[in-house]
Amino acid sequence: MLSFGWYFYYGLTLSKVNPVLFVNRLDFTRNILMLTNLQGMLLKYFWLRVSFDVIYCLLPILLAFAVLKEKYYTKWVVVVTILYNMCYGIFMASFTYISLDLYIAWFYVPFVFYPNTAKGYYFSFHSIRIVFLLIFFTAGIWKIRTGAIFNTDQMSGILLLQHKQYLAGNPSNWFSQLVYFLVQHSYYSYVLYLLGTIAELAFIIGFFTKKYDKWLMVAFLLFFIADYFLMRINYSNWMVFAGLLYFSQLKKEKYEI
Amino acid sequence: MFLKEFYTYRPKGAILLVAFIIVFVFLNIKWGAVAFPINVYGMYSGKYPLQDTQWVYKIKTGESFVDFTSLSMAERDKLQYSLDFYGKYKSNNVIVFNTMKRVLSTLIIGKLMEEEKYTPVADSIQYARWFNHLLSDILNKEIHSCLIYTQSYVWQMNQLNPVATPQKKYQFVSEP
C-alpha cells in the first residue's frame, strides 16, 4: 500500500497517467498478452484504467485477508494476484517510463502463499528466495560479461546519463555538488560500482547456506537506499523481497520437516 | 540439500523450479528477447562512456524555460521519458512487431498478431494536449503551448558543457 501510495502521489498509476501511446519491447509474454488488445482498450477507456488501479490495490489486501484467515479460496486469490500483477506491470511498463523489473516482486512473492500446508509453504518460500538470489547474482555476472566492471569511468558515465537533465540546469545544491564530485572523481564513483557488483555476486552464497542471509539483506537494503538517494530510482516495490532473507532462517521443525 | 528435499516432497514442484532456473540462465546467455518474468536483470551492466554526447531537453513555455532542477525526481523523469518515448515509439513498435511476428510465426500466435493492435499511432493533436496537460499538472499553471528543444552536452574539462545551439524538436499546441 505504501509503495502504491508513492506511485499514486506522483501520478504514476494507469488512471493518472492517462496514456495516449505505448512502447513495446522484445518480450514474448508482453506480445502474447497484447493479442487481447487490452492495451488498445486501456488507451481508450478511462473507467478501465481506474478499474485496473483499484484491483491492483485491493488484491494484496484480499490476499493478506485470505492467508491470515486461512480461507479455502486462498489458492485462487494467489493465482489471480500473480496473473493480474503480471498484466498490470506489463502495461504500466508499456505506458510509462517505469521499468517492468520494478513490478517483479509483486509477481513472485504471492507464490509463497500458494501451498496450504506448513511444509509446502517452506518449499515455496525457499523457491522464491532462490529466484530472488538468482536475479541479483546474474546482475553481477552481467557486469562482468559486458566488461562494465572493468571500466573505471562506468559509474561516472551512469551518473551523468541519469542526472544530465538535472546537471544541465546547473544547480548549486548539495545533491548536484555530490553528483559532480563523483563524476569528476571517477575512482570514488567506481569504488561504489565495484562494491555494488561484489555485493550482487555475493548473493551466490545464498544458494549454499542461509547463514549469511541477514548480511545479504543489509546489502539489499543498502542497494535500495543508494538507488533512491543517489540514482533517484524508487525500488520500493522490491522491499517485499527483503522478507525472503529476513525469515529464511526459521527452523525447519516449524514447518514439520 | 534443498532441491533434493523439495523433490522428495513434491517432484513436480522441484522439476518446475529447476526448469525455471535453466530457462532463466539460457535466456540470459542468449542475450536477446525475454519472456516476463524471466528477464535480463542487468542493472546498469551496459557501457556508459563518460565521453558520450548527452542530449538534454529544454522546454519553453511562454518566455521562460522549465527549471528541471526545481522538480521532483518523478516529475523530471515523467517529462524527460515522455519526450523520449514520443520520439521513438513509432519506429520502435514497428521493429518489435515485425521481429516478434517473425519469431512467433512458427506457432499459431504469430498469425494472430494484427499490426494495428501493436503499432497504433497517437494523433499529434492528442499528444500535444496530453503533454501540455502533464506540464500544467507539474508546473501548477495552465499551459496550452510549449516548445521543446534538445541541447547536446559533452563532459569536457571536468564539467558538463553545452555544445552547438539548441535545436527545436517539437511544438505542442492545444486548445484552451
Side-chain angles (χ1 to χ4, degrees), chain A residues 184-201:
Chain A
Q184 284 165 340
H185 300 84
S186 288
Y187 283 100
Y188 288 112
S189 57
Y190 177 69
V191 167
L192 287 178
Y193 191 78
L194 186 64
L195 288 174
T197 308
I198 292 169
E200 284 168 348
L201 292 171

Side-chain angles (χ1 to χ4, degrees), chain A:
Chain A
M1 289 300 283
L2 278 175
S3 171
F4 185 81
W6 187 92
Y7 285 96
F8 185 80
Y9 179 76
Y10 283 109
L12 290 166
T13 59
L14 280 173
S15 57
K16 288 199 134 192
V17 169
N18 282 323
V20 289
L21 56 86
F22 66 84
V23 178
N24 197 1
R25 297 264 191 275
L26 287 171
D27 179 338
F28 289 106
T29 316
R30 184 185 303 218
N31 281 271
I32 291 168
L33 183 64
M34 282 168 71
L35 285 172
T36 60
N37 199 29
L38 257 173
Q39 69 280 8
M41 290 191 275
L42 282 165
L43 285 175
K44 206 169 168 184
Y45 302 114
F46 177 69
W47 64 265
L48 189 60
R49 295 194 291 273
V50 173
S51 309
F52 253 66
D53 283 340
V54 171
I55 297 170
Y56 180 71
C57 196
L58 289 180
L59 272 175
I61 299 170
L62 179 62
L63 179 63
F65 174 79
V67 170
L68 293 173
K69 297 281 179 188
E70 297 180 7
K71 295 287 181 189
Y72 67 94
Y73 52 78
T74 303
K75 274 190 180 191
W76 288 106
V77 180
V78 168
V79 172
V80 170
T81 306
I82 289 166
L83 294 175
Y84 188 83
N85 288 351
M86 180 184 79
C87 291
Y88 190 87
I90 283 176
F91 288 123
M92 272 304 283
S94 302
F95 294 134
T96 68
Y97 69 89
I98 302 169
S99 165
L100 184 52
D101 293 359
L102 295 180
Y103 289 95
I104 57 158
W106 295 115
F107 171 83
Y108 283 118
V109 172
F111 275 103
V112 171
F113 305 105
Y114 184 78
N116 49 12
T117 61
K119 221 172 186 179
Y121 171 76
Y122 171 85
F123 286 112
S124 68
F125 179 95
H126 285 285
S127 297
I128 299 304
R129 177 180 162 275
I130 286 174
V131 171
F132 171 61
L133 295 172
L134 197 62
I135 290 170
F136 258 77
F137 176 63
T138 51
I141 291 291
W142 268 99
K143 289 178 180 69
I144 296 171
R145 182 178 179 177
T146 60
I149 193 62
F150 307 112
N151 172 21
T152 50
D153 280 343
Q154 177 75 357
M155 192 62 192
S156 293
I158 291 172
L159 286 167
L160 202 57
L161 179 76
Q162 186 72 7
H163 301 300
K164 60 183 178 183
Q165 200 69 48
Y166 187 77
L167 295 177
N170 212 16
S172 53
N173 58 25
W174 69 270
F175 181 69
S176 67
Q177 298 295 321
L178 173 69
V179 174
Y180 248 114
F181 176 84
L182 287 171
V183 178
Q184 284 165 340
H185 300 84
S186 288
Y187 283 100
Y188 288 112
S189 57
Y190 177 69
V191 167
L192 287 178
Y193 191 78
L194 186 64
L195 288 174
T197 308
I198 292 169
E200 284 168 348
L201 292 171
F203 274 71
I204 195 174
I205 299 167
F207 292 126
F208 306 104
T209 176
K210 285 173 250 166
K211 221 162 67 181
Y212 303 104
D213 273 15
K214 290 272 156 63
W215 287 107
L216 294 180
M217 193 180 77
V218 170
F220 171 65
L221 292 176
L222 286 174
F223 159 85
F224 166 74
I225 292 167
D227 258 316
Y228 194 86
F229 290 103
L230 186 59
M231 296 296 288
R232 300 292 204 212
I233 300 172
N234 180 9
Y235 268 96
S236 60
N237 273 353
W238 280 33
M239 282 309 287
V240 67
F241 276 141
L244 296 171
L245 299 171
Y246 186 80
F247 296 110
S248 67
Q249 289 175 66
L250 289 180
K251 295 277 178 280
K252 276 185 181 179
E253 297 75 45
K254 262 199 121 145
Y255 303 98
E256 300 148 25
I257 293 167

Side-chain angles (χ1 to χ4, degrees), chain B residues 89-155:
Chain B
Y89 86 98
K90 280 184 210 164
S91 57
N92 171 81
N93 288 357
V94 170
I95 292 167
V96 172
F97 172 75
N98 289 333
T99 309
M100 293 309 290
K101 192 169 171 68
R102 197 180 63 241
V103 175
L104 291 170
S105 63
T106 47
L107 308 165
I108 277 189
I109 298 163
K111 295 182 182 75
L112 298 174
M113 289 172 72
E114 295 166 24
E115 192 164 3
E116 61 270 22
K117 284 182 188 170
Y118 289 78
T119 58
V121 177
D123 181 83
S124 58
I125 298 169
Q126 189 188 13
Y127 189 81
R129 196 185 313 129
W130 181 85
F131 190 82
N132 286 338
H133 188 261
L134 173 70
L135 206 51
S136 302
D137 266 359
I138 289 173
L139 301 178
N140 212 12
K141 62 178 182 184
E142 278 217 10
I143 287 161
H144 300 291
S145 166
C146 66
L147 281 164
I148 314 293
Y149 295 88
T150 52
Q151 164 85 64
S152 56
Y153 281 80
V154 288
W155 185 257

Side-chain angles (χ1 to χ4, degrees), chain B:
Chain B
M1 190 195 171
F2 173 74
L3 277 175
K4 206 172 155 188
E5 286 173 346
F6 193 11
Y7 187 80
T8 314
Y9 171 69
R10 188 136 304 171
K12 278 183 193 166
I15 290 168
L16 207 65
L17 177 63
V18 171
F20 178 88
I21 294 169
I22 290 169
V23 176
F24 191 102
V25 172
F26 174 76
L27 282 180
N28 269 263
I29 291 168
K30 198 94 170 73
W31 203 343
V34 292
F36 182 85
I38 298 170
N39 206 349
V40 172
Y41 299 97
M43 300 182 196
Y44 287 99
S45 299
K47 285 191 177 171
Y48 299 92
L50 198 51
Q51 299 76 22
D52 273 4
T53 301
Q54 306 290 343
W55 291 92
V56 167
Y57 292 110
K58 288 182 177 290
I59 303 174
K60 193 176 184 185
T61 61
E63 290 305 308
S64 59
F65 284 94
V66 172
D67 177 13
F68 273 83
T69 64
S70 65
L71 307 178
S72 70
M73 66 188 204
E75 291 167 339
R76 203 158 53 231
D77 284 350
K78 273 201 274 189
L79 289 178
Q80 184 187 334
Y81 292 108
S82 298
L83 293 168
D84 277 353
F85 275 20
Y86 187 61
K88 73 175 184 189
Y89 86 98
K90 280 184 210 164
S91 57
N92 171 81
N93 288 357
V94 170
I95 292 167
V96 172
F97 172 75
N98 289 333
T99 309
M100 293 309 290
K101 192 169 171 68
R102 197 180 63 241
V103 175
L104 291 170
S105 63
T106 47
L107 308 165
I108 277 189
I109 298 163
K111 295 182 182 75
L112 298 174
M113 289 172 72
E114 295 166 24
E115 192 164 3
E116 61 270 22
K117 284 182 188 170
Y118 289 78
T119 58
V121 177
D123 181 83
S124 58
I125 298 169
Q126 189 188 13
Y127 189 81
R129 196 185 313 129
W130 181 85
F131 190 82
N132 286 338
H133 188 261
L134 173 70
L135 206 51
S136 302
D137 266 359
I138 289 173
L139 301 178
N140 212 12
K141 62 178 182 184
E142 278 217 10
I143 287 161
H144 300 291
S145 166
C146 66
L147 281 164
I148 314 293
Y149 295 88
T150 52
Q151 164 85 64
S152 56
Y153 281 80
V154 288
W155 185 257
Q156 274 173 341
M157 317 247 276
N158 249 352
Q159 58 180 7
L160 198 60
N161 296 303
V163 284
T165 50
Q167 292 169 7
K168 188 175 145 189
K169 195 147 172 90
Y170 311 113
Q171 180 167 21
F172 296 131
V173 182
S174 56
E175 285 170 19

